[in-house]
Amino acid sequence: MKVLVIGSGGREHALVWKLSQSPRIDKVYCAPGNAGISEIAECLDIKANDIDALLNFVKYDWIDLTVVGPEAPLTAGIVDAFVKEERRIFGPDKSGARLEGSKVFAKDFMLKYGIPTAEYKTFSSYLHAEEYIRLKGAPLVIKADGLAAGKGVFVCETVDEAIDSLKLIMKEKAFGAAGSKVVVEQCLRGEEASFMILTDGKTVVPLASAQDHKTIFDGDKGPNTGGMGAYSPAPVITKSLQVKIMKTVIAPIIKGLSRERINYRGVIYAGLMISNGKPYVLEFNCRFGDPEAQPILMRLESDLFEMLKATAEGRLKEVKVSWKDDSAVCVVLSSKGYPDKYEKGKEIKGLEDLKGKKDIMVFHAGTSLNNGKLVTSGGRVLGVTALGKDISAAKDKAYDAISKIHFDGMHYRKDIADKAIKKLKVESEK
Ligand code: AMP
Ligand code: GLY
């Protein structure tokens, strides 16, 4: 069987790595991929959003399954185009991808189907939004409606901050058309966690829990990024909380999708705030989280290809999924300047010594080859991911591996997984 993975980040490297382990796979392609992916798959010079070129390749080369990594091709309708041509593809169609592609759609969907979320109002008029912000008072969260690469959400502690964010979105149009509508919502406090499921619209398979680290600096300080590290499992998601999430969040989503006649076949990622023991949905993504996919896929024991193919074919109920008891921690190494303008073209050294170690994977994100040399080419460069008997052991292994890696301006958080380790320590002392 031949598989095509679409995308070029750490998530796609992890997907390609795990898919290649399936005994049923003969060949994995990746479009466009990166330097790390090119070591284990054939990379194609096709952009992730060039739907026509991707479809042509799949038809010409008889690809058995296409797996879409990022959200942009999904919201642009890649699945609709492939299904029309009877090509097997993993991911939701355009109507399902609105769960991520439009925050207004997602919030209205949650309200309609009773999914717990922050109170909100949506606006397409700047003046009405400003009036509402002044009426409500801070703290408030201001969100651009459309895709903004994780940068369109502002948690505002004062009314002035909220109005500045509103201006940035609606007047200065910092995110273009994605900011023609905004969501103004209540600020929730608590602990965040990522909860992902696979679904074919009928069956739901929960994936291992994970927690992301969104901000660039230690102690959850500084601007938000795509994610600076993640670990799995997330101790905040206890067994009883998972039961609650399945009942109060996931079951109503599946019911809502069916009522709306949305035939969803892919991942649903719920970004949750756990507040007083209850889960509230902050956002949905219609794809695997990045970097959450890296530690989660390192813990997966089952055949990922079977799981994704069955999802795409609507036979998810036939699949059994098992996980390693081990924990995994992924620490992202980023370029100087990220998440703003960042440096590129810096030589990366030290990866050779880390190759072939079963419990360490260095997933590439923004890397490329320049005259045979491995260089940085993106904001997030590498995701150093380690497996250990518990989170503490996995963390130590990941940071030990990082001490061997170098590139100019290399930045990473030193506190990935500390929250989980602290939580587990407190619990064990109870
Ligand atoms: P989103 O892209 O919607 O997940 O938002 C990005 C980040 O903003 C989240 O991971 C949270 O840290 C924060 N956030 C979003 N919505 C809220 C909210 N209603 N209350 C508090 N924080 C929020
Ligand atoms: N790590 C958050 C995301 O994938 O959106």
Side-chain angles (χ1 to χ4, degrees):
M1 294 259 181
K2 292 196 274 187
V3 179
L4 167 65
V5 175
I6 296 175
S8 60
R11 166 185 50 211
E12 287 75 24
H13 192 179
L15 286 167
V16 166
W17 168 77
K18 191 69 198 169
L19 284 165
S20 333
Q21 292 168 14
S22 168
R24 296 193 58 205
I25 297 277
D26 301 308
K27 177 138 192 173
V28 182
Y29 295 90
C30 188
N34 60 36
I37 295 174
S38 70
E39 290 175 11
I40 53 173
E42 185 173 334
C43 289
L44 308 170
D45 189 15
I46 307 178
K47 293 210 167 65
N49 54 9
D50 191 346
I51 296 177
D52 290 342
L54 291 165
L55 187 54
N56 273 339
F57 173 76
V58 161
K59 276 161 58 177
Y60 180 76
D61 250 69
W62 286 101
I63 300 297
D64 299 286
L65 176 69
T66 299
V67 178
V68 188
E71 61 280 13
L74 294 168
T75 56
I78 189 169
V79 170
D80 309 63
F82 273 50
V83 167
K84 200 165 154 214
E85 298 283 337
E86 299 183 354
R87 297 291 142 179
R88 201 183 283 113
I89 184 161
F90 174 86
D93 66 9
K94 204 172 172 171
S95 66
R98 282 180 300 169
L99 280 182
E100 176 166 2
S102 166
K103 294 206 187 279
V104 172
F105 174 82
K107 293 293 288 192
D108 291 349
F109 181 89
M110 287 189 255
L111 183 69
K112 187 166 173 188
Y113 294 101
I115 299 161
T117 187
E119 247 181 56
Y120 73 103
K121 253 188 174 339
T122 63
F123 298 93
S124 45
S125 141
Y126 172 86
L127 283 179
H128 290 158
E130 186 183 321
E131 202 179 347
Y132 179 75
I133 289 170
R134 291 194 190 282
L135 188 78
K136 275 280 168 189
L140 282 175
V141 184
I142 314 292
K143 300 184 172 183
D145 174 42
L147 293 183
K151 293 183 184 155
V153 173
F154 300 88
V155 179
C156 305
E157 298 299 336
T158 65
V159 167
D160 284 349
E161 249 180 75
I163 289 178
D164 284 348
S165 308
L166 182 69
K167 278 187 187 146
L168 187 73
I169 299 172
M170 293 194 99
K171 287 206 159 157
E172 293 160 32
K173 304 213 178 300
F175 311 105
S180 55
K181 286 189 202 158
V182 290
V183 175
V184 179
E185 71 179 40
Q186 169 203 10
C187 186
L188 298 173
R189 308 281 187 201
E191 190 170 351
E192 287 184 54
S194 311
F195 192 79
M196 284 178 254
I197 58 147
L198 286 184
T199 185
D200 58 2
K202 300 169 290 226
T203 304
V204 171
V205 171
L207 299 178
S209 63
Q211 191 163 40
D212 188 12
H213 295 67
K214 292 234 154 117
T215 66
I216 186 82
F217 300 126
D218 287 11
D220 296 334
K221 302 258 168 25
N224 271 346
T225 68
M228 291 301 292
Y231 55 81
S232 172
V236 63
I237 304 204
T238 55
K239 280 213 171 92
S240 67
L241 184 59
Q242 173 154 342
V243 172
K244 219 182 260 181
I245 295 169
M246 292 299 285
K247 195 168 152 202
T248 65
V249 175
I250 304 299
I253 298 176
I254 302 302
K255 182 170 152 197
L257 290 171
S258 150
R259 289 263 172 91
E260 303 289 323
R261 299 188 187 284
I262 296 172
N263 186 9
Y264 200 108
R265 294 180 178 189
V267 174
I268 297 178
Y269 167 132
L272 302 174
M273 183 72 88
I274 313 301
S275 198
N276 298 322
K278 282 198 202 131
Y280 293 85
V281 177
L282 297 179
E283 63 160 344
F284 289 125
N285 292 323
C286 59
R287 41 137 186 115
F288 289 102
D290 186 351
E292 292 95 322
Q294 290 85 312
I296 285 180
L297 291 174
M298 267 191 92
R299 295 188 54 225
L300 179 65
E301 224 154 36
S302 312
D303 184 327
L304 182 66
F305 173 69
E306 297 291 356
M307 288 162 62
L308 303 189
K309 182 166 174 283
T311 307
E313 289 172 352
R315 317 179 275 106
L316 190 54
K317 73 168 186 304
E318 294 169 21
V319 169
K320 281 234 154 26
V321 177
S322 59
W323 303 92
K324 294 189 170 84
D325 287 333
D326 288 353
S327 298
V329 171
C330 168
V331 181
V332 170
L333 311 184
S334 61
S335 295
K336 188 173 177 186
Y338 178 75
D340 293 324
K341 212 164 166 262
Y342 50 79
E343 297 181 339
K344 282 187 194 175
K346 304 292 177 192
E347 188 175 357
I348 303 167
K349 291 194 181 138
L351 298 192
E352 286 307 318
D353 292 350
L354 298 168
K355 280 201 178 131
K357 292 199 189 326
K358 218 174 80 226
D359 48 1
I360 308 259
M361 276 302 302
V362 179
F363 293 115
H364 290 223
T367 68
S368 57
L369 290 171
N370 187 359
N371 292 325
K373 267 194 206 154
L374 182 67
V375 297
T376 65
S377 64
R380 291 191 289 175
V381 178
L382 300 168
V384 181
T385 313
L387 208 54
K389 67 177 185 340
D390 55 29
I391 293 207
S392 220
K395 178 196 160 179
D396 290 346
K397 279 191 206 174
Y399 281 104
D400 187 48
I402 289 171
S403 70
K404 303 191 168 53
I405 304 174
H406 175 79
F407 57 86
D408 277 353
M410 178 171 117
H411 167 80
Y412 58 94
R413 278 180 64 157
K414 317 282 185 301
D415 66 343
I416 301 301
D418 283 359
K419 243 186 246 164
I421 293 168
K422 202 166 146 198
K423 194 178 214 66
L424 291 170
K425 193 162 169 256
V426 170
E427 266 156 33
S428 74
E429 283 166 2
K430 264 187 200 161

